[in-house]
């Protein structure tokens, strides 16, 4: 072979080797692409007691590969790969120290691979009897649901990555996703709303949550029944979602499941669809089926592949069937994921429809296990059993419309044998089914909700119930051992999760666009008072006023307050502030203050709702306010008047009161008066006072007597509370004078009489009082201090003296008789010889005149001898020597003068001289 041939041979050998390497590499790459794993119950065991020893956890599922890891929360456990449907892992005792609920997942390694759906393991003690307390969350984001699907689209998961369980559910009437982020204590934050679907009538009816685009954040997939599509909402990891991606599917999607059917490490969808015409027909009609959509790993999907089911016949009639329930698992033990659908038509035919998986995203021809009745809700229990909730007749003599919970035992080839036995429930119950270890004994239990039928619970004497069947060992259930838990409302959707991370599984249900939480454990107690708040006076539109306060009182257990809201027809007219925070310690209280701002005239009503984890949540207070034009309100400044001390009988300077119209209408003052005469008014407030303006009233103090004087300024008007009053106080200043002992003294001529007087101030009188004494005998002296200064509080005593003249000094009071010696001297002078001489001289003249003089002389003589007195006032008597006593009236006057003001008071004294 030449050089050229050798080179060509070498080149071809090299090229072949490279091609071989490329092919091998491609083959290896294809071979190493791992699927997304799927796990389902039961975990073995389902729970463990706090403080327990290390144990081996068995995990059942599908799509497991060598190198798969079981995750205990965020911690990878030492894992042993057994088969594509079985792993074991070691759980150390350090992970079992205290009650909690752990999220168990499985991760397959790259390339491809990914993390499975979650299942829950509880670290808790076994309970012998269930104790639940329930509350309805403050969620009302649209009209009640109409014709909801069997699952009603309710899922739990950690949508914001805070390690606390959240809730997402569908409002099927207006096609919205409602997100309730959990607080980790069984309460939830305010609802966040995200639109889905294309109509608001039939709307979305189911919901699944999974990491669809592989970014570690939970996403949502929602069947849009009317739109014939699946709406994908990619999560942002904070509880919010991106705008929906619409993925077309077969018409009338009803139910949905998610798994990696073609083992490429990307999640795919299996969608159950409804019948276009489910009515009875004499000719074949179009039935529903299953649509499979292979995922692209980014939230989008390939064109759906449809697997219709046949129209069934019954009594020579055709019935179109709908797939209202769907689940995924390896039911024929070939290591590939299969689909089991619950299909029915008019409760008369079909049951399980089995679609065997081929591992490439396609499925073989369906196999029909025609049970009557057919499943409405399904859950895999591992391979091969399936737990089913069956609607319709269960056997001869049974109810014609009831629900039966049953385990369908797999035959390892995709066929199933129902094990109904005594587990039939002959009451209108059950549309949603969940599995888990609800009593903490390590075995799988199941629970299902009551019916959404209008004739169901809360009517026809049926209670709303959550019903339990407790497992006795993995895969089997206690026959005829059922526990019933009453609920507050009909339940349609149902999900189990530990909402407060205490190791006990709780429940959430949906009904009529509300969410009810059933917490396992002891309920706190709470009360609120008063039960209603109302105003009696209209409040101006747009003006805020305080309606009142309500007190929330906690019981013996710590209370968590999730939200405080105002609802009702006129909720926007009321607002609240509170001191409650996130909760209350045992026996603590907090206050909720309510403000009212009316937006319209008339009565406005609302309700204060306090949502917490107490069994009677929410606590409510009725709110009533009246909007309109209120009566004027009036203010007084100052609100009372105190006058300075003032002399009695005088008028001081006025003080003023400002009257302000605080209302929205005119203030009309009809009268301004005072209650007593000591006070007077001068007012300019008789006219109408516009809103926001004021007027003044002058008030005078004219004390009519001494001491403290109290009265009231009275204003009569058209304001609320009329008449209004302003208290008035003043003090009248004066003094008084009076004898503090006897006001009468008796003395003999020449003696001195003494009297004691008391001068008392009133109203704090601190002035000098001048004193005078009048009425004493002219031959005597009355002595009194010229003035006395008072100190404003204590009385002051003064002495008054009257000094008389002795009898030898000729003490004569005008109006008394002459002494005897004086009368004799006067008689001799007038009647003796000197008198006759005088008479003769005087009487010279006529005889008539002489006679008259003679008569007059004789009369004088007689009178003088008798001692007759001259014409003067006074009391008859002798000034001594045992004659008649003489009485004298004295007056002591006190006076004070300041400017034009004079205060004068006197007292009378009596002097008797004998």
């Amino acid at each position: 072979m030449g050089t050229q041939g050798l080179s060509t041979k070498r080149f071809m050998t090299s090229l072949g080797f490279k091609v071989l390497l490329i092919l091998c590499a491609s083959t290896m790459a294809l071979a190493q692409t791992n699927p997304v794993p799927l796990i389902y119950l039961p975990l073995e065991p389902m729970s463990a007691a706090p403080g327990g020893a290390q144990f081996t956890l068995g995990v059942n599922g599908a799509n497991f590969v060598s190198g798969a890891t079981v995750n205990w929360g965020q911690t990878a456990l030492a894992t042993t790969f057994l088969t594509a449907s079985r792993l074991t892992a070691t759980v150390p005792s350090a992970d079992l120290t205290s009650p909690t609920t752990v999220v168990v997942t499985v991760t397959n390694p790259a390339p491809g691979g990914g993390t499975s759906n979650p299942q829950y393991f509880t670290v808790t003690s076994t309970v012998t009897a269930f104790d639940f307390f329930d509350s309805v969350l403050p969620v009302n984001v649209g009209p009640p649901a109409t014709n909801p699907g069997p699952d009603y689209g309710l899922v739990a998961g950690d949508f914001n990555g805070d390690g606390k369980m959240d809730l997402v559910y569908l409002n099927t009437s207006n096609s919205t996703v409602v997100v309730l982020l959990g607080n980790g204590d069984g309460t939830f934050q305010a609802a966040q709303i995200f639109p889905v679907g294309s109509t608001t009538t039939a709307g979305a009816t189911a919901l699944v949550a999974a990491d669809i685009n592989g970014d570690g954040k939970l996403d949502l997939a929602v069947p849009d029944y009317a739109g014939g599509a699946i709406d994908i909402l990619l999560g942002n990891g904070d509880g919010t979602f991106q705008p929906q991606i619409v993925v077309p599917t077969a018409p009338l999607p009803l139910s949905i499941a998610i798994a990696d059917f073609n083992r490429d490490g990307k999640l795919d969808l299996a969608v159950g669809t409804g019948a276009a015409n489910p009515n009875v027909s004499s000719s074949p009609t179009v039935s529903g089926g299953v649509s499979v959509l292979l995922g692209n790993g980014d939230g989008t999907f390939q064109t759906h592949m449809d697997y219709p089911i046949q129209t069934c016949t019954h009594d020579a009639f055709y019935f179109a069937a709908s797939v209202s329930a769907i689940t995924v698992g390896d039911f024929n033990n070939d290591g590939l994921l299969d689909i089991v659908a619950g299909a029915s038509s008019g409760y008369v035919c079909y049951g399980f429809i089995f679609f065997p998986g081929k591992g490439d995203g396609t499925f073989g021809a369906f196999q029909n296990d025609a049970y009557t009745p057919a499943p409405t809700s399904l859950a895999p229990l591992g391979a091969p059993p399936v737990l089913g909730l069956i609607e319709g007749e269960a056997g001869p003599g049974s109810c014609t419309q009831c629900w039966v919970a049953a385990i369908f035992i797999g035959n390892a080839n995709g066929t199933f044998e129902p094990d109904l036995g005594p587990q039939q429930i002959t009451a209108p119950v059950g549309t949603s089914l969940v599995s888990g270890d609800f009593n903490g004994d390590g075995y799988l239990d199941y629970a299902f909700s009551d019916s959404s039928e209008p004739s169901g619970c809360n009517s026809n004497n049926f209670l709303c119930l959550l019903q339990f069947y407790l497992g006795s060992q993995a895969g089997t259930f206690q026959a005829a051992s059922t526990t019933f838990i009453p609920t507050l409302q009909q339940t349609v959707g149902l999900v189990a999760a530990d909402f407060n991370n205490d190791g006990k599984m709780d429940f959430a249900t949906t009904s009529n666009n509300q969410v009810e939480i059933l917490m396992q454990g002891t309920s706190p107690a709470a009360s609120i008072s008063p039960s209603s708040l109302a105003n009696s006076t209209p409040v101006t539109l747009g003006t805020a006023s305080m309606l009142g306060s309500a007190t929330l009182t906690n019981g013996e257990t710590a209370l968590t307050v999730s939200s405080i809201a105002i609802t009702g027809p006129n909720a926007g007219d009321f607002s609240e502030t509170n001191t409650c925070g996130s909760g209350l310690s045992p026996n603590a209280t907090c206050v909720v203050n309510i403000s009212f701002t009316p937006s319209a005239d008339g009565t406005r009503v609302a309700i204060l709702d306090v949502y917490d984890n107490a069994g009677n949540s929410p606590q409510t207070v009725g709110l009533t306010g009246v909007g309109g034009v209120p009566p004027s309100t009036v203010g007084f400044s100052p609100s009372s008047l105190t006058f300075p001390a003032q002399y009695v009988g005088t008028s001081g300077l006025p003080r003023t009161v400002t009257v302000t119209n605080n209302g929205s209408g005119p203030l009309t003052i009809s009268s301004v008066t005072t209650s007593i005469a000591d006070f007077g008014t001068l007012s300019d407030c008789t006219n109408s006072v516009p809103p926001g303006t004021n007027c003044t009233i002058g008030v005078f103090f004219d004390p009519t007597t001494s001491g403290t004087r109290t009265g009231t300024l009275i204003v009569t008007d058209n304001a609320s509370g009329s008449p209004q009053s302003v208290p008035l106080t003043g003090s009248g200043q004066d003094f008084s004078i009076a004898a503090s002992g006897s006001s009468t003294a008796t003395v003999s001529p020449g003696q001195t009489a003494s009297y004691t007087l008391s001068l008392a101030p009133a109203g704090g009188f601190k002035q000098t009082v001048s004193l005078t004494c009048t009425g004493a005998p002219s031959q005597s002296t009355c002595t009194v201090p010229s003035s006395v200064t008072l100190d404003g509080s204590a009385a002051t005593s003064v002495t008054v003296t009257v000094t008389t003249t002795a009898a030898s000094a000729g003490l004569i009071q005008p109006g008394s008789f002459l002494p005897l010696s004086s009368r004799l001297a006067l008689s001799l002078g007038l009647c003796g010889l000197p008198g006759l001489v005088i008479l003769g001289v005087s009487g010279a003249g006529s005889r008539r005149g002489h006679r008259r003089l003679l008569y007059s002389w004789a009369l004088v003589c007689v009178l003088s001898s008798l001692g007759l007195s001259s014409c003067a006032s006074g009391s008859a008597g002798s000034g001594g020597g045992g004659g008649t006593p003489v009485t004298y009236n004295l007056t002591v006057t006190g006076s004070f003068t300041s400017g034009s003001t004079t205060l004068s008071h006197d007292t009378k004294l009596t002097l008797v001289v004998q």
Side-chain angles (χ1 to χ4, degrees):
M1 183 179 295
T3 304
Q4 181 177 1
L6 183 59
S7 298
T8 300
K9 182 178 180 180
R10 289 176 177 174
F11 170 78
M12 293 302 296
T13 302
S14 175
L15 177 61
F17 181 73
K18 291 179 179 179
V19 169
L20 181 62
L21 287 178
I22 294 173
L23 292 174
C24 290
S26 299
T27 302
M28 292 175 63
L30 290 173
Q32 291 177 354
T33 299
N34 294 318
V36 178
L38 174 72
I39 60 175
Y40 36 73
L41 298 179
L43 300 174
E44 298 175 1
M46 288 288 296
S47 63
Q54 174 177 301
F55 70 94
T56 298
L57 175 68
V59 179
N60 300 306
N63 282 348
F64 299 156
V65 298
S66 178
T69 302
V70 175
N71 304 305
W72 185 266
Q74 301 297 318
T75 302
L77 299 179
T79 303
T80 300
F81 173 80
L82 299 178
T83 68
S85 59
R86 178 78 173 177
L87 302 173
T88 60
T90 301
V91 179
S93 60
D95 291 335
L96 306 172
T97 57
S98 59
T100 188
T101 296
V102 181
V103 177
V104 175
T105 57
V106 171
T107 300
N108 281 346
T115 301
S116 72
N117 59 303
Q119 297 290 359
Y120 302 126
F121 184 97
T122 55
V123 180
T124 186
S125 300
T126 303
V127 298
T128 57
F130 286 119
D131 184 13
F132 284 91
F133 60 96
D134 51 4
S135 60
V136 177
L137 296 184
V139 178
N140 192 2
V141 293
T146 57
N147 300 319
D151 292 327
Y152 200 40
L154 178 66
V155 295
D158 184 5
F159 289 91
N160 61 349
D162 62 355
K164 303 171 184 177
M165 277 293 153
D166 310 314
L167 280 174
V168 175
Y169 83 97
L170 294 178
N171 181 345
T172 60
S173 290
N174 60 17
S175 295
T176 56
V177 168
V178 182
V179 178
L180 301 169
L181 298 179
N183 296 314
D185 56 4
T187 64
F188 295 82
Q189 301 175 29
Q192 301 180 68
I193 312 301
F194 300 91
V196 293
S198 59
T199 67
T200 59
T201 53
T205 58
L207 178 68
V208 292
D211 182 9
I212 295 174
N213 60 351
D215 62 355
K217 303 168 186 177
L218 282 179
D219 311 309
L220 299 173
V222 183
D224 176 7
Y225 180 84
I230 301 297
D231 296 326
I232 305 298
L233 283 75
L234 298 180
N236 296 316
D238 57 1
T240 64
F241 295 87
Q242 301 173 29
Q244 62 186 359
I245 300 173
V246 178
V247 180
T249 185
L252 307 179
L254 276 172
S255 51
I256 188 170
I258 190 165
D260 184 2
F261 297 122
N262 62 349
R263 305 175 58 83
D264 64 351
K266 303 169 185 177
L267 289 176
D268 312 311
L269 296 176
V271 179
T273 60
N277 181 13
N279 295 328
V280 176
S281 173
S282 60
S283 61
T285 58
V286 178
S287 289
V290 173
S291 285
V292 176
L293 298 90
L294 300 180
N296 296 316
D298 59 359
T300 64
F301 292 82
Q302 301 174 29
T303 302
H304 56 91
M305 298 176 288
D306 299 329
Y307 297 86
I309 58 178
Q310 293 177 350
T311 300
C312 76
T313 59
H314 183 76
D315 293 335
F317 290 99
Y318 293 91
F319 294 86
S322 295
V323 177
S324 56
I326 193 168
T327 190
V328 175
D330 181 10
F331 299 111
N332 57 4
N333 287 325
D334 63 355
L336 305 176
L337 286 178
D338 312 310
I339 295 175
V340 169
S344 64
S345 177
Y347 311 116
V348 295
C349 59
Y350 283 115
F352 284 132
I353 305 295
F354 175 69
F355 294 90
K358 298 181 178 180
D360 59 358
T362 64
F363 294 83
F366 73 87
Q367 304 173 28
N368 178 13
D369 280 336
Y371 296 112
T372 302
T376 60
S377 184
L378 298 172
L381 296 182
V386 169
L387 184 64
L389 189 63
I390 312 302
E391 180 179 17
E393 289 189 11
S398 300
C399 63
T400 58
Q401 186 175 344
C402 60
W403 281 258
V404 178
I407 297 175
F408 291 79
I409 305 300
N411 296 321
N413 59 2
T415 62
F416 299 89
E417 298 293 337
D419 180 18
L420 298 180
Q423 301 181 22
Q424 176 180 332
I425 308 301
T426 57
V429 294
T431 54
S432 293
L433 174 71
V434 293
S435 302
D437 182 8
F438 302 134
N439 62 350
D441 63 356
Y443 300 130
L444 185 67
D445 313 312
Y446 67 87
F448 58 94
S449 62
D450 64 18
S451 172
S452 63
E453 296 290 336
S455 61
C457 69
N458 282 338
S459 64
N460 300 328
N461 297 320
F462 286 115
L463 292 176
C464 298
L465 298 174
L466 185 65
Q467 305 194 21
F468 295 87
Y469 279 77
L470 304 179
S472 57
Q473 59 185 3
T476 64
F477 295 87
Q478 300 176 20
S481 177
T482 306
T483 299
F484 301 92
I485 303 298
T487 60
L488 299 179
Q489 59 184 4
Q490 289 180 324
T491 58
V492 182
L494 181 65
V495 69
D498 185 1
F499 295 115
N500 59 353
N501 199 34
D502 63 352
K504 297 182 176 69
M505 295 299 288
D506 312 308
F507 293 88
T509 72
T510 56
S511 176
N512 292 330
N513 196 30
Q514 288 184 317
V515 173
E516 181 179 352
I517 303 298
L518 291 89
M519 299 293 297
Q520 191 174 177
T522 303
S523 170
S527 62
I528 194 167
S529 63
S531 59
S532 63
L533 293 172
N535 71 335
S536 57
T537 302
V539 176
T540 303
L541 302 189
T543 302
S545 66
M546 185 65 180
L547 187 69
S549 300
T551 300
L552 179 67
T553 302
N554 186 27
E556 301 295 332
T557 303
L559 180 73
T560 300
V561 177
S562 56
S563 69
I564 298 178
I566 295 177
T567 60
N570 311 124
D573 288 10
F574 300 85
S575 61
E576 62 82 18
T577 60
N578 66 82
T579 62
C580 300
S582 60
L584 293 177
S585 302
N587 302 312
T589 62
C590 64
V591 176
V592 183
N593 299 307
I594 304 297
S595 180
F596 173 54
T597 307
S599 60
D601 291 338
T603 301
R604 314 292 287 167
V605 295
I607 299 174
L608 171 68
D609 294 317
V610 178
Y611 293 92
D612 47 45
N613 61 335
N616 62 336
S617 178
Q619 294 84 40
T620 62
V621 177
L623 306 177
T624 303
V626 179
V629 178
S632 296
T633 57
V634 62
F636 294 91
S637 179
S639 59
S640 63
L641 283 180
T642 300
F643 291 84
Q646 191 169 308
Y647 303 129
V648 173
T650 65
S651 180
L653 296 176
R655 307 197 75 178
T656 59
V657 174
T658 300
V659 182
T660 302
N661 182 2
N662 296 321
S664 58
L667 173 69
T668 301
I669 298 177
S670 56
S671 68
V672 177
T673 60
T674 57
S675 61
I676 62 173
D678 294 65
F679 301 93
T681 62
L682 179 63
S683 172
D684 67 350
C685 289
T686 56
N687 295 323
S688 179
V689 182
T693 64
N694 56 57
C695 61
T696 58
I697 299 174
V699 183
F700 296 86
F701 178 44
D702 304 326
T704 60
T705 187
S706 60
T708 301
R709 307 296 292 158
T710 59
T712 304
L713 171 66
I714 302 171
V715 179
T716 304
D717 48 43
N718 66 334
S720 176
S722 178
Q724 292 87 18
S725 61
V726 175
L728 307 174
T729 304
S731 180
Q733 288 191 332
D734 203 348
F735 68 94
S736 63
I737 182 170
S740 59
S742 176
S743 61
T744 301
T746 303
V747 297
S748 298
Q751 293 182 336
T752 298
S754 296
Y755 307 86
T756 301
L757 302 182
S758 176
L759 274 75
F765 184 83
K766 293 182 180 181
Q767 301 296 338
T768 298
V769 178
S770 299
L771 299 175
T772 60
C773 180
T774 59
S778 60
Q779 293 85 10
S780 64
T781 303
C782 181
T783 304
V784 65
S786 60
S787 63
V788 174
T789 301
L790 300 180
D791 65 0
S793 59
T796 300
S797 298
V798 298
T799 302
V800 177
T801 59
V802 180
T803 303
T804 64
T805 304
S808 59
L811 176 64
I812 298 176
Q813 174 75 11
S816 67
F817 288 103
L818 292 174
L820 178 59
S821 58
S822 299
R823 297 200 297 272
L824 290 175
L826 179 61
S827 176
L828 289 176
L830 295 175
C831 301
L833 181 60
L836 292 175
V837 173
I838 296 170
L839 180 63
V841 175
S842 304
S846 67
R847 183 176 295 175
R848 179 180 293 176
H850 179 75
R851 186 179 294 122
R852 290 174 177 170
L853 288 173
L854 181 60
Y855 290 156
S856 299
W857 173 78
L859 179 62
V860 169
C861 288
V862 173
L863 293 173
S864 65
S865 64
L866 295 175
L868 296 176
S869 64
S870 62
C871 298
S873 64
S875 300
S878 173
T884 303
V886 182
T887 298
Y888 305 96
N889 295 317
L890 287 74
T891 300
V892 177
T893 302
S895 61
F896 164 74
T897 301
S898 176
S900 61
T901 301
T902 297
L903 301 177
S904 180
H905 302 283
D906 58 36
T907 187
K908 303 295 184 179
L909 303 175
T910 302
L911 173 65
V912 180
V913 180
Q914 61 180 14

